[in-house]
């Protein structure tokens, strides 16, 4: 039901965290997974190795999603070489935590360049081969804070909210080509991105999670795999929240 044999899946920012777990989960379903990274080449190669050791197919592909020309060139070359790109998981993202009065202009530019322009650039590049194939799956990694806001995360929350409008618009634009576009919005997941949060902040968050614990990257990956599979063929423009009930 969730089988992805013969499919090519590109996961951005896949050398660690949610991206890595998603790449591994897609490979476990039989997809040939392309592990995008920007700086963590060694880490990306280790993900490829881990997938191959389990009998899966994977390769590493370095490019900065904030660089539209590099993104276009890398994805066009990939589509030419493999003949297809069936799945995009736009996962690469960065967070800047600061009150809006303190945040620097260059921080706003960087967060939007990676989280928003990066997602648009990757989607635009994969839509070309997907239109030719008259099929495709795009999943954007947004965040719980894009829907509910969070004091101290104005810029990050704004960038993640942008992905909701982007996905619904692309869902409408490419539905006629059987390309579905959806969002997964994680809550508080144990990764490098959240490891720097102070004990007090973490404790406060745990109190607000009905399931009483943080999430695992694999639990986010499971929702992504579902949206990329045939089982989700009639779902587009939707958001799946993976947050332990923190926001309903
Ligand atoms: P992470 O920091 O562990 O991983 C992010 C990955 O993106 C890294 O591998 C990083 O190298 C890559 N990346 C950053 N800039 C890039 C660029 N310009 N080009 C290519 N790759 C780039 O974070 P994570 O927790 O695994 O988060 C993954 C996604 O999920 C992010 O979009 C994040 O905003 C979102 N998210 C995470 C949480 C959480 O609690 N961890 C919650 C909600 C949403």
């Amino acid at each position: 039901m969730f089988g992805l044999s013969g499919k090519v899946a590109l996961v951005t920012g896949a050398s660690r965290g949610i991206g890595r777990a998603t790449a591994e989960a897609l490979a476990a379903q039989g997809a040939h997974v392309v592990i995008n990274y920007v700086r963590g080449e060694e880490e990306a190669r280790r993900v490829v190795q881990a997938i191959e050791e389990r009998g899966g197919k994977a390769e590493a592909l370095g490019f900065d999603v904030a660089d539209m020309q590099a993104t276009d060139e890398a994805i066009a070359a990939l589509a030419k070489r493999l003949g297809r790109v069936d799945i995009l998981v736009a996962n690469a993202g960065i967070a800047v935590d600061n009150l809006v009065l303190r945040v620097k202009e260059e921080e706003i530019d960087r967060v939007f360049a990676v989280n928003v322009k990066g997602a648009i650039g990757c989607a635009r590049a994969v839509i070309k081969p997907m239109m030719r194939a008259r099929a495709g799956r795009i999943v954007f990694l947004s965040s719980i804070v894009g829907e509910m806001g969070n004091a101290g995360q104005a810029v990050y929350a704004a960038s993640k909210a942008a992905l909701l409008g982007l996905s619904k618009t692309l869902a409408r634009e490419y539905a006629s080509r059987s390309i579905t576009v959806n969002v997964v919005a994680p809550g508080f997941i144990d990764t490098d991105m959240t490891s720097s949060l102070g004990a007090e902040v973490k404790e406060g968050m745990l109190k607000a999670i009905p399931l009483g614990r943080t999430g695992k990257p694999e639990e986010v990956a499971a929702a992504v795999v579902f949206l990329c599979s045939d089982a989700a063929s009639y779902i587009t423009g939707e958001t799946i929240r993976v947050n332990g009930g923190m926001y309903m």
Side-chain angles (χ1 to χ4, degrees), residues 23-181:
E24 292 183 338
L26 292 167
Q29 294 302 324
H32 174 117
V33 184
V34 181
I35 312 290
N36 162 255
Y37 63 90
V38 64
R39 272 173 299 276
E41 183 173 355
E42 257 313 298
E43 280 179 305
R45 300 217 177 281
R46 279 201 289 274
V47 181
V48 171
Q49 204 184 342
I51 289 173
E52 286 176 344
E53 277 167 10
R54 280 180 232 124
K57 292 189 236 59
E59 62 180 276
L61 182 64
F63 63 88
D64 180 348
V65 300
D67 179 339
M68 268 190 148
Q69 196 183 335
T71 299
D72 263 343
E73 287 171 6
I75 294 178
L78 177 74
K80 194 167 176 205
R81 184 163 51 81
L82 298 181
R84 58 197 300 152
V85 181
D86 305 281
I87 294 164
L88 166 68
V89 183
N91 163 81
I94 56 171
V96 171
D97 297 341
N98 217 338
L99 293 171
V100 76
L101 291 179
R102 293 205 191 123
V103 78
K104 296 189 186 78
E105 184 177 348
E106 52 269 30
E107 290 176 326
I108 301 172
D109 288 343
R110 187 64 195 154
V111 169
F112 272 77
V114 176
N115 295 7
V116 183
K117 192 175 80 169
I120 295 171
C122 290
R124 211 170 62 154
V126 298
I127 280 170
K128 292 170 197 164
M130 287 178 181
M131 280 177 69
R132 283 196 292 276
R134 295 195 153 267
R137 293 276 197 274
I138 298 176
V139 178
F140 295 112
L141 264 295
S142 177
S143 166
I144 186 171
V145 306
E147 291 193 284
M148 67 176 246
N150 192 26
Q153 289 197 305
V155 176
Y156 177 69
S159 75
K160 291 296 174 179
L163 299 179
L164 304 177
L166 174 65
S167 73
K168 289 179 188 182
T169 301
L170 297 184
R172 290 183 190 280
E173 285 184 1
Y174 301 100
S176 65
R177 304 297 178 113
S178 299
I179 300 170
T180 69
V181 188

